[in-house]
């Protein structure tokens, strides 16, 4: 039975340099006004509805912690992941300022490199405004994900290599054709769009704070690719929770462990992805430049995980082992936080250094549903 699967981690690092006094800095990073503007826009979009915060009593019992809250992003708009909040909002903001400056949107086109979910969000944002959209995907992005973006009207270009290679091609083509890049990750000289993407993500953080109704979790497990999601959660929640900060545990694939390596060396170091993880959304070799100072000060620990637990965890989410919790459609990346929680609970040294015990209230982000339906079906049928 999948609940009994032995969930393991690969490596972990506890951040010795966490600075719990840094909330002033964090509050400036994504200002309250900026987050409020994103919320005002996104909550007006057709189909907006806060996603559920579900209590996973069966996982809490197995991990021997007090409570587990799971933010279920599987029904986020029609896109099935939290990414729907980011790229599409950045497209809307870019288009708005272009129109303010030029008086029209003729000839305005957007482009991005993606593992899937971010591109779908950008394509959706472009479709809603009738904009031309170019999406660059690497060799390992599934055809189902490519088809989903094409169905939203995007022109999908497949490149060789990994995500970083697709970004190089995207940048070259965008420069040639004067397309506007809408990336979820940032680099030297490219920060304002990724910050808008993160402002979009902050809507999820605002929903969580409201849903917790004054309760502050003791631990917050966040999956990371380039770290934009973790950065947005830190920037929004830190000033709100400043009285009692949770331990922030970032979770990565062992095959794309740039946050782990960076925290370990206290410097933003990249890595070359050799093999693709099943958790496609977490496959990034570099921490987003703009979020690195936040992660460096805000993260308590980074845990890397192997792929082995992904399908068992997806099945466990779908098939509760207690009567009171509903079945949950959780995709590949949604398994990450829960796998890391189970792995932390079963490693006594790690649990001790995280202060994880039967009194803990754990918040886990379930960032996607069945965004690749074929893979989801396979994961559920393989037992
Ligand atoms: C489903 C899902 N979860 C988590 C992440 C990680 O987000 P970030 O790259 O901002 O760290 C991604 C990124 O694409 C994703 O698609």
């Amino acid at each position: 039975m999948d609940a009994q699967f032995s969930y393991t981690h690969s490596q972990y690092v506890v951040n010795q340099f966490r600075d719990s006094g840094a909330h002033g800095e964090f509050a400036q990073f994504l200002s309250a006004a900026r987050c409020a503007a994103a919320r005002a826009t996104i909550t007006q979009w057709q189909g907006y509805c806060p996603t559920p915060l579900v209590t996973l009593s069966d996982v809490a019992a197995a991990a021997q912690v007090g409570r587990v809250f799971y933010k279920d992003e599987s029904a986020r708009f029609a896109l099935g992941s939290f990414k729907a909040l980011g790229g599409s909002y950045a497209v809307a903001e870019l288009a708005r300022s272009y129109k303010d400056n030029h008086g029209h949107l003729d000839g305005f086109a957007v482009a991005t490199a993606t593992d899937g979910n971010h591109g779908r969000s950008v394509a959706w944002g472009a479709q809603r405004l009738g904009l031309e959209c170019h999406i660059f995907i690497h060799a390992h992005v599934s055809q189902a994900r490519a088809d989903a973006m094409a169905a939203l009207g995007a022109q999908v270009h497949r490149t060789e290599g990994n995500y970083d290679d697709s970004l190089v091609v995207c940048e070259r083509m965008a420069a040639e054709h004067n397309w506007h890049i809408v990336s979820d990750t940032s680099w030297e000289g490219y920060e304002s769009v990724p910050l808008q993407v993160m402002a979009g993500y902050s809507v999820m953080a605002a929903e969580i704070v409201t849903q917790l109704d004054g309760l502050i979790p003791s631990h917050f497990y966040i999956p990371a690719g380039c770290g934009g999601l973790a950065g947005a959660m830190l920037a929004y929640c830190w000033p709100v929770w400043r009285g009692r900060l949770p331990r922030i545990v970032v979770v990565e694939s062992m095959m794309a462990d740039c946050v782990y390596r960076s925290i370990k060396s206290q410097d933003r170091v990249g890595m070359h992805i050799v093999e693709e993880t099943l958790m496609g959304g977490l496959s990034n070799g570099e921490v987003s430049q703009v979020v690195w100072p936040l992660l460096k000060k805000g993260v308590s620990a980074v845990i890397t995980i192997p792929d082995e637990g992904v399908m068992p965890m997806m099945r466990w989410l779908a098939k509760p082992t207690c009567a009171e919790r509903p079945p949950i459609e959780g995709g590949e990346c949604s398994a990450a936080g829960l796998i890391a929680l189970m792995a932390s609970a079963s490693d006594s040294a790690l649990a001790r250094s995280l202060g994880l015990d039967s009194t803990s209230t754990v918040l886990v982000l379930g960032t996607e549903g069945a965004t690749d339906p074929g893979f989801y079906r396979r994961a559920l049928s393989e037992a």
Side-chain angles (χ1 to χ4, degrees):
M1 184 157 68
D2 296 320
Q4 305 305 323
F5 182 88
S6 183
Y7 295 96
T8 56
H9 59 77
S10 168
Q11 315 233 47
Y12 71 88
V13 59
V14 174
N15 185 10
Q16 308 296 344
F17 298 91
R18 187 182 195 230
D19 177 3
S20 51
H23 35 71
E25 217 175 294
F26 280 47
Q28 277 166 21
F29 181 82
L30 273 185
S31 67
R34 193 169 198 166
C35 296
R39 200 154 68 244
T41 300
I42 292 172
T43 55
Q44 291 308 307
W45 290 350
Q46 199 185 352
Y48 171 78
C49 188
T51 54
L53 188 70
V54 188
T55 302
L56 304 187
S57 320
D58 46 357
V59 178
Q64 296 183 301
V65 296
R67 280 167 100 171
V68 175
F69 290 106
Y70 174 92
K71 181 67 169 166
D72 176 8
E73 288 293 299
S74 62
R76 181 64 75 184
F77 291 108
L79 275 63
S81 91
F82 81 98
K83 299 297 273 191
L85 298 166
S88 54
Y89 177 65
V91 169
E93 286 301 290
L94 259 184
R96 191 172 57 78
S97 70
Y98 185 92
K99 198 169 175 192
D100 285 350
N101 289 331
H102 296 82
H104 61 81
L105 282 173
D106 304 342
F108 180 82
V110 291
T112 192
T114 183
D115 282 319
N117 289 331
H118 172 67
R120 203 179 293 189
S121 183
V122 170
W124 182 55
Q127 186 189 47
R128 292 168 53 230
L129 297 171
L131 303 174
E132 184 179 323
C133 176
H134 296 269
I135 303 284
F136 293 82
I137 53 171
H138 62 78
H140 306 282
V141 175
S142 73
Q143 194 53 41
R145 291 188 187 276
D147 293 345
M149 291 182 273
L152 290 166
Q155 295 179 45
V156 180
H157 310 263
R158 198 179 277 278
T159 68
E160 289 180 355
N162 63 19
Y163 170 80
D164 296 323
D165 300 317
S166 66
L167 184 57
V168 171
V169 181
C170 173
E171 283 185 90
R172 197 186 62 232
M173 296 281 284
E176 267 171 36
H177 297 278
N178 212 12
W179 299 332
H180 295 256
I181 294 187
V182 182
S183 175
D184 54 351
T185 190
S186 72
W187 52 87
E188 191 72 45
Y190 181 80
E191 294 185 347
S192 87
V193 171
L195 278 169
Q196 290 292 30
V197 170
M198 291 168 66
Y201 299 162
S202 77
V203 171
M204 173 168 56
E207 289 173 8
I208 291 172
V209 168
T210 305
Q211 288 164 326
L212 286 173
D213 195 19
L215 188 75
I216 300 178
S218 58
H219 297 77
F220 189 3
Y221 282 67
I222 310 174
C226 72
L229 171 64
M233 297 299 109
L234 278 167
Y236 185 88
C237 295
W238 204 268
V240 178
W241 288 338
R242 58 195 281 179
R244 190 169 65 79
L245 295 172
R247 292 228 172 60
I248 305 290
V249 184
V250 163
V251 185
E252 288 185 300
S253 162
M254 62 182 273
M255 292 175 244
D257 58 356
C258 55
V259 182
Y260 167 80
R261 289 177 196 227
S262 299
I263 292 289
K264 200 161 175 168
S265 58
Q266 285 294 298
D267 192 15
R268 179 174 164 258
V269 290
M271 50 89 57
H272 183 69
I273 293 170
V274 180
E275 200 188 336
E276 289 293 330
T277 163
L278 291 178
M279 298 171 285
L282 308 192
S283 188
N284 285 78
E286 244 178 33
V287 179
S288 175
Q289 169 157 311
V290 77
V291 298
W292 169 239
L294 255 78
L295 299 188
K296 192 176 167 184
K297 290 193 176 167
V299 165
S300 307
V302 187
I303 301 180
T304 70
I305 55 168
D307 274 355
E308 280 77 19
V310 172
M311 288 193 186
M313 185 55 82
M314 288 167 71
R315 289 192 287 271
W316 189 8
L317 276 168
K319 296 174 194 141
T321 42
C322 72
E324 62 273 20
R325 84 117 160 122
I328 290 168
E329 179 195 288
E332 303 85 283
C333 295
S334 284
L338 293 170
I339 293 170
L341 168 61
M342 291 298 293
S344 334
S346 57
D347 175 339
S348 55
L350 176 54
R352 217 173 18 257
S353 56
L354 291 176
L356 190 74
D357 61 28
S358 59
T359 65
S360 300
T361 300
V362 183
L363 169 63
V364 182
L365 295 186
T367 51
E368 67 180 340
T371 51
D372 184 339
F375 180 82
Y376 186 76
R377 272 195 301 276
R378 213 169 69 237
L380 257 57
S381 61
E382 266 178 38

